[in-house]
Amino acid sequence: MDAMGRLYDALVLVVVMFIFPAVWAVSASENVAYTEVEKQADMIIERFEHDGSITANSISRLQDITKQIPGLRFNINIYRNSFYITEDEAGNQSSYSYRHLITMEEILDTIDEKEEFTIFPLDTVYLYIMDDASVYYTAIRHAKIG
């Protein structure tokens, strides 16, 4: 029985000295990588705000940061607030507003045509970073109203 005790002690020693630190280090490095992705996403949203547009360079940068962690991908949606006024025959005016969803595909098509997608002050930009299970992180650029 003494040999079994020593074997058990040796097994515990290997787990504590080698396996546990390795698993912990991998977990810690993933947490650091996820934190870096979050910071980069926030910086890109700020760049959208500063430039007033989304460019091919911004899309390339997003692809680079999501490649840091296997399984991550991104999506950009824009809600464009539009207003218009109508006037009937009697001269009465009515105003209407609506939100139009602009998808990632439309953004990329516009970038291919015009080399940038212009963001208007009333637009709300949503940058989603997703992993295999769900949306991991959302960065938002809110519309400027008033």
Side-chain angles (χ1 to χ4, degrees), residues 114-127:
K114 301 178 183 177
E115 296 188 8
E116 71 176 7
F117 179 88
T118 304
I119 300 172
F120 297 137
L122 297 178
D123 291 349
T124 304
V125 180
Y126 291 88
L127 169 59

Side-chain angles (χ1 to χ4, degrees), residues 52-87:
S53 65
I54 300 172
T55 62
N57 187 26
S58 300
I59 299 296
S60 174
R61 183 73 184 123
L62 280 168
Q63 290 170 342
D64 291 344
I65 67 167
T66 54
K67 286 179 186 175
Q68 293 177 9
I69 301 173
L72 283 187
R73 59 192 187 286
F74 70 94
N75 190 17
I76 301 172
N77 288 329
I78 297 175
Y79 286 100
R80 179 156 288 165
N81 295 316
S82 299
F83 302 94
Y84 64 96
I85 298 173
T86 61
E87 187 171 323

Side-chain angles (χ1 to χ4, degrees), residues 13 16 59 114 131:
L13 179 69
V16 170
I59 299 296
K114 301 178 183 177
D131 58 13

Side-chain angles (χ1 to χ4, degrees), residues 9-10 20-21 24 29-30 40 42 53 66 76 79 81 89 100 110 113 115 117 122 132 139-140:
D9 290 343
F20 177 72
W24 178 81
S29 69
E30 284 180 4
Q40 294 292 329
D42 287 339
S53 65
T66 54
I76 301 172
Y79 286 100
N81 295 316
E89 293 146 3
H100 172 72
T110 303
E113 290 175 19
E115 296 188 8
F117 179 88
L122 297 178
D132 293 332
I140 302 171

Side-chain angles (χ1 to χ4, degrees):
M1 205 61 176
D2 191 35
M4 283 300 275
R6 287 184 183 169
L7 184 60
Y8 180 74
D9 290 343
L11 180 64
V12 169
L13 179 69
V14 167
V15 168
V16 170
M17 295 287 291
F18 300 106
I19 296 175
F20 177 72
V23 169
W24 178 81
V26 168
S27 176
S29 69
E30 284 180 4
N31 290 341
V32 168
Y34 275 108
T35 302
E36 183 63 24
V37 167
E38 293 171 16
K39 287 180 187 176
Q40 294 292 329
D42 287 339
M43 286 174 41
I44 287 173
I45 283 287
E46 288 176 16
R47 177 56 64 186
F48 292 166
E49 177 76 28
H50 180 266
D51 294 345
S53 65
I54 300 172
T55 62
N57 187 26
S58 300
I59 299 296
S60 174
R61 183 73 184 123
L62 280 168
Q63 290 170 342
D64 291 344
I65 67 167
T66 54
K67 286 179 186 175
Q68 293 177 9
I69 301 173
L72 283 187
R73 59 192 187 286
F74 70 94
N75 190 17
I76 301 172
N77 288 329
I78 297 175
Y79 286 100
R80 179 156 288 165
N81 295 316
S82 299
F83 302 94
Y84 64 96
I85 298 173
T86 61
E87 187 171 323
D88 63 11
E89 293 146 3
N92 298 324
Q93 292 184 340
S94 300
S95 62
Y96 299 94
S97 67
Y98 65 96
R99 281 182 101 186
H100 172 72
L101 173 65
I102 301 170
T103 63
M104 180 79 168
E105 185 176 309
E106 294 174 82
I107 294 168
L108 292 175
D109 289 345
T110 303
I111 290 173
D112 287 342
E113 290 175 19
K114 301 178 183 177
E115 296 188 8
E116 71 176 7
F117 179 88
T118 304
I119 300 172
F120 297 137
L122 297 178
D123 291 349
T124 304
V125 180
Y126 291 88
L127 169 59
Y128 301 104
I129 298 180
M130 301 160 281
D131 58 13
D132 293 332
S134 65
V135 173
Y136 160 68
Y137 187 73
T138 303
I140 302 171
R141 181 259 193 195
H142 292 285
K144 293 181 182 175
I145 298 176

